[in-house]
Amino acid sequence: MTSSRKRSRKPRLNSRVTEKKRITIHVKNEEKPWVMPDTDAARAVASLLEASDMRAVADPAFPYGLIRKFFINGVANLLAIVGDCDCNGLLKNHRERMERLYEEFVLVLAAPHADAFAMLPEDFHSVVFDGLASYGEHFPSTKMDFDAGRALEVDSLNGYVVAQAKRQGLPAPENEKLVDEVAKMVRARDLLRATPARDEPR
């Protein structure tokens, strides 16, 4: 007599043991801590990062560090595209224009970033331009992005100053001019990249 009941098969165990692999992430300037605002939320995040062996700090001077970096990037990054030069070239050939950008930054950003401006040292102008000079033959990251055909974060640089100036009814002609120049150069770059060479088949 034949049984119609099928025997259930036991699942086979994989003899290979799955090994957990540790992934190492290399971060630029990894010796420096992640710096965040001095808030309860940021301190909680810093604690979590520290627990994962990642250096982090909630810094009371965070607004100053942010505005310092903005000033250095703002007088250099987009202008390096227009001038087609490194930081040394900017200081040598475009210093007057950088000074005008700087003056507009001070006028436009003082109110919306009052907390940071309250921390500025008396020699902040020297801090900015000496900081830029320390980069020497380095090309600003935005200049490298432009040369590589990548999108630019204009709205986070001089475009931000233009937007803040309009919001407050303040003049920022040098920043407006620079943003317009870069926009035209980006359009021309992208058009050239999209146009096939004459010897290429259509």
Side-chain angles (χ1 to χ4, degrees):
M1 189 171 182
T2 306
S3 172
S4 61
R5 213 169 81 183
K6 294 182 180 179
R7 293 182 180 179
S8 59
R9 293 182 179 179
K10 293 183 179 180
R12 293 181 179 179
L13 297 177
N14 193 336
S15 59
R16 292 180 298 177
V17 177
T18 304
E19 296 180 358
K20 291 183 178 180
K21 295 183 179 179
R22 184 183 181 89
I23 299 175
T24 303
I25 300 175
H26 295 283
V27 181
K28 186 178 181 182
N29 297 326
E30 61 183 338
E31 74 283 357
K32 297 180 180 179
W34 293 84
V35 181
M36 293 169 285
D38 188 28
T39 63
D40 291 340
R43 283 190 288 273
V45 172
S47 297
L48 290 173
L49 291 174
E50 289 282 355
S52 302
D53 296 326
M54 299 176 67
R55 297 180 61 201
V57 60
D59 187 4
F62 179 82
Y64 169 70
L66 205 61
I67 204 73
R68 174 186 175 277
K69 182 174 178 60
F70 181 88
F71 266 71
I72 294 175
N73 290 345
V75 299
N77 286 26
L78 297 189
L79 191 56
I81 296 172
V82 175
D84 191 23
C85 59
D86 58 20
C87 294
N88 280 343
L90 284 170
L91 291 167
K92 181 180 179 181
N93 302 313
H94 301 277
R95 182 62 183 256
E96 289 185 8
R97 191 168 185 187
M98 294 167 77
E99 293 285 357
R100 292 195 295 271
L101 291 170
Y102 178 96
E103 291 173 1
E104 290 182 7
F105 291 174
V106 173
L107 173 67
V108 173
L109 302 179
H113 296 277
D115 56 343
F117 271 68
M119 301 179 185
L120 300 188
E122 292 183 3
D123 63 341
F124 184 65
H125 180 276
S126 296
V127 168
V128 171
F129 285 95
D130 289 350
L132 180 61
S134 70
Y135 289 105
E137 296 179 352
H138 172 79
F139 284 89
S141 59
T142 312
K143 160 66 172 165
M144 293 190 286
D145 287 339
F146 174 81
D147 291 344
R150 292 189 286 265
L152 308 182
E153 297 180 344
V154 176
D155 291 343
S156 298
L157 292 164
N158 303 76
Y160 174 72
V161 178
V162 172
Q164 284 291 339
K166 289 180 179 178
R167 189 170 291 123
Q168 300 174 68
L170 296 172
E174 196 64 51
N175 280 273
E176 288 182 9
K177 179 182 177 181
L178 180 58
V179 169
D180 287 344
E181 284 176 312
V182 171
K184 291 176 182 176
M185 292 180 69
V186 169
R187 287 195 294 270
R189 178 201 68 182
D190 293 346
L191 180 62
L192 183 63
R193 289 167 63 90
T195 304
R198 290 186 178 181
D199 55 349
E200 290 183 2
R202 293 183 178 272

